[in-house]
Amino acid sequence: QSFKLLGFLDVQSVPCARESVLYGSLGSLVVGLGHFLATSRVRRSCDFAVGGFLSTMLGYWFYCRYNLAQQRIRQRMLKEGMQNRMLFEGSYLDPERNQTGNERSDS
């Protein structure tokens, strides 16, 4: 069972979708209720609530996706570094290899 928002956004499988919708609904509540308490205009407060939902949801969506992309880049760099370490371990290309005086004179 998957929950699709607006018929196309699968909230369970798309990264950051669930959190974006939750923060958007919270932003909608805060903006709409705040505008209503300030002006006592119901229809306009609902309009502000919809705007608050969209802006909060999209703002958190881009923030979360940016952090996810950064995390994936760091994971890829770490994976490549670990593969290179296994590949070069014990060879003359190993940066952590302690070279003694005899090894320097041979190469």
Side-chain angles (χ1 to χ4, degrees):
Q1 296 284 345
S2 65
F3 175 69
K4 293 193 177 198
L5 183 68
L6 300 175
F8 65 90
L9 181 62
D10 190 6
V11 176
Q12 289 181 343
S13 64
V14 176
C16 300
R18 179 179 178 270
E19 292 85 4
S20 296
V21 171
L22 290 175
Y23 281 120
S25 61
L26 181 63
S28 169
L29 180 70
V30 168
V31 170
L33 188 61
H35 190 270
F36 176 74
L37 291 175
T39 63
S40 297
R41 297 173 70 185
V42 176
R43 182 177 173 103
R44 183 132 176 148
S45 296
C46 289
D47 293 341
F48 269 79
V50 170
F53 173 77
L54 290 175
S55 62
T56 307
M57 185 182 78
L58 289 175
Y60 187 76
W61 172 269
F62 288 119
Y63 170 76
C64 183
R65 294 297 285 198
Y66 176 77
N67 284 339
L68 186 65
Q70 292 294 322
Q71 181 182 8
R72 287 182 179 168
I73 289 170
R74 285 191 301 267
Q75 285 176 345
R76 188 176 339 119
M77 288 174 55
L78 183 62
K79 182 180 176 183
E80 290 173 3
M82 289 173 63
Q83 287 174 347
N84 287 340
R85 179 173 170 88
M86 289 189 310
L87 181 67
F88 296 132
E89 189 172 19
S91 70
Y92 70 94
L93 296 173
D94 188 6
E96 294 183 7
R97 183 175 174 190
N98 293 331
Q99 294 184 351
T100 62
N102 293 338
E103 291 175 346
R104 288 186 188 153
S105 63
D106 291 339
S107 49

